Amino acid sequence: MENDLELEGLADGDWDDAAGGVAGGVAGGADGADDGDDDADANGGADADDGGDDATTLPGIATLPGLAEGQGYIVLAATPIGNAGDASARLVAWLGSADIVAAEDTRRLHRLTTSLGVQVSGRVISYHEHNEAAKTPELLAQVQAGKVLLMVSDAGMPTVSDPGFRLVEAAVAAGVRVTMAPGPSAVLTALALSGLPTDRFCFEGFLPRKSGERASRLHELAVEPRTMVFFEAPHRLEPMLRALHTAFGPSRPAAVCRELTKTYEEVIRKPLSGLLEWAEAADIRGEIAVVVAGAPAADHGTPEDHVAAVNELIGQGMRLKEAVAVIAHDVHVSKRELYSAVLASRK
């Protein structure tokens, strides 16, 4: 999910003057990759620390258990979803030490590393949905040759509605080690702020754009009992909410989460009818996550309510235990309780 870092007050030409942040002692002002190049070497590679630390001893990076000397591996690292201050120490350390950094957008990577004061020493490669199929074998071969590859998306977790899945899939198939530097996630942030149940949830990403396909998907999800998290573009939010209103009903609780972790962060919590009214009147901008409550549990009644259905099957020649099993399965009640209810009705 694309998102811009919250770095108010810096004009486009001022990024090279930004420094500090999480990097601490890491050298600032990285030149980074060229904006338009798919493959670019970061200028001015970082020198090793005086103590000779390598990638496994930098702050925030633990030695990977079971890793042979010289063996390459892949690191998936979460990046801030809106506020550069949310970058982890492990992300910063790997940005400054990985042999290769695969980035969804090299310009956004340059913006991030400059704001954090990180000097990227490795090769920076553009890796996105339009070239990942072609570039995955090349990157995998580099890792198999002993390189450490850092994979970052524009914002949040790689592979979650972002590039990276093809790389992980290929790495797993090839027996290549993959680890993670966890961190910000728009999905989990929206879920936590929604005020809706978090014990069970599912992520549905972006709904289909075509109305027929979207209606079909929502028809399937109408009975989904778990809390659902969606992404949506601001200009498509109103038709999306209208489709949710139609498929799930006007009273289903939901929340629209906008510009998470940024200055103008906003969470609107209303039934779908209220959210639709808000969207019709609002000038909606920014990155959007929509969280919707799962379908309420169906009321299947008491075992006594289904005794007649059991007797009807018995009247058709079915044995008592078989009839109880069929009805209990269909109406989701306890077989033992339904069996007892049938016997009690005969007294």
Side-chain angles (χ1 to χ4, degrees):
M1 181 179 183
E2 292 187 0
N3 214 331
D4 290 328
L5 294 178
E6 181 68 27
L7 294 168
E8 248 73 3
L10 294 181
D12 290 343
D14 294 337
W15 294 112
D16 290 336
D17 297 328
V22 183
V26 182
D31 289 332
D34 293 337
D35 287 353
D37 293 344
D38 274 356
D39 297 343
D41 291 325
N43 297 331
D47 294 331
D49 292 341
D50 292 340
D53 289 342
D54 59 24
T56 60
T57 57
L58 283 171
I61 298 182
T63 302
L64 298 181
L67 199 66
E69 184 176 355
Q71 182 179 346
Y73 57 93
I74 297 170
V75 181
L76 306 175
T79 54
I81 62 173
N83 191 314
D86 295 331
S88 72
R90 297 178 72 202
L91 169 64
V92 170
W94 258 309
L95 282 169
S97 64
D99 299 308
I100 305 170
V101 179
E104 184 177 1
D105 186 327
T106 58
R107 292 165 296 185
R108 287 176 179 263
L109 175 67
H110 176 45
R111 183 173 175 173
L112 173 64
T113 56
T114 303
S115 69
L116 295 176
V118 182
Q119 193 166 11
V120 178
S121 60
R123 181 187 181 196
V124 177
I125 294 179
S126 177
Y127 185 81
H128 47 74
E129 62 176 331
H130 302 297
N131 70 5
E132 60 179 335
K135 290 208 170 183
T136 292
E138 171 193 339
L139 293 177
L140 192 60
Q142 291 288 322
V143 176
Q144 290 173 318
K147 301 295 185 181
V148 175
L149 169 65
L150 176 66
M151 171 73 218
V152 294
S153 60
D154 287 346
M157 294 282 191
T159 78
V160 180
S161 199
D162 272 332
F165 169 72
R166 287 180 184 270
L167 181 62
V168 174
E169 182 182 41
V172 171
V176 169
R177 186 70 175 273
V178 183
T179 189
M180 183 78 204
S185 164
V187 176
L188 297 181
T189 302
L191 177 68
L193 289 175
S194 70
L196 298 172
T198 60
D199 54 337
R200 297 182 66 210
F201 68 93
C202 59
F203 174 57
E204 290 294 327
F206 289 89
L207 288 171
R209 295 188 183 186
K210 294 183 178 179
S211 58
E213 295 177 2
R214 183 173 56 209
S216 178
R217 176 77 60 80
L218 291 177
H219 177 73
E220 297 174 359
L221 294 174
V223 294
E224 170 59 61
R226 297 170 294 179
T227 300
M228 295 163 278
V229 184
F230 302 88
F231 286 160
E232 191 52 276
H235 64 279
R236 291 197 299 269
L237 180 62
E238 182 183 337
M240 179 222 190
L241 290 173
R242 192 176 303 280
L244 290 172
H245 181 279
T246 300
F248 296 168
S251 61
R252 183 78 69 94
V256 171
C257 305
R258 191 182 72 83
E259 295 288 83
L260 292 173
T261 76
K262 294 184 180 182
T263 298
Y264 298 104
E265 175 181 283
E266 183 179 23
V267 181
I268 303 97
R269 306 173 183 89
K270 296 175 181 288
L272 286 172
S273 58
L275 288 178
L276 181 56
E277 291 178 6
W278 166 81
E280 289 171 341
D283 179 18
I284 302 168
R285 300 180 182 181
E287 303 295 335
I288 303 290
V290 179
V291 188
V292 184
D299 182 6
H300 300 296
T302 66
E304 288 75 16
D305 295 332
H306 306 290
V307 168
V310 173
N311 288 331
E312 183 177 349
L313 292 182
I314 293 173
Q316 296 172 7
M318 190 175 291
R319 297 175 61 187
L320 173 59
K321 287 187 177 181
E322 293 174 350
V324 166
V326 169
I327 299 301
H329 177 270
D330 289 346
V331 300
H332 305 283
V333 298
S334 164
K335 287 192 295 184
R336 184 173 62 181
E337 292 180 2
L338 180 56
Y339 187 86
S340 298
V342 172
L343 295 181
S345 69
R346 296 179 177 180
K347 294 180 180 178

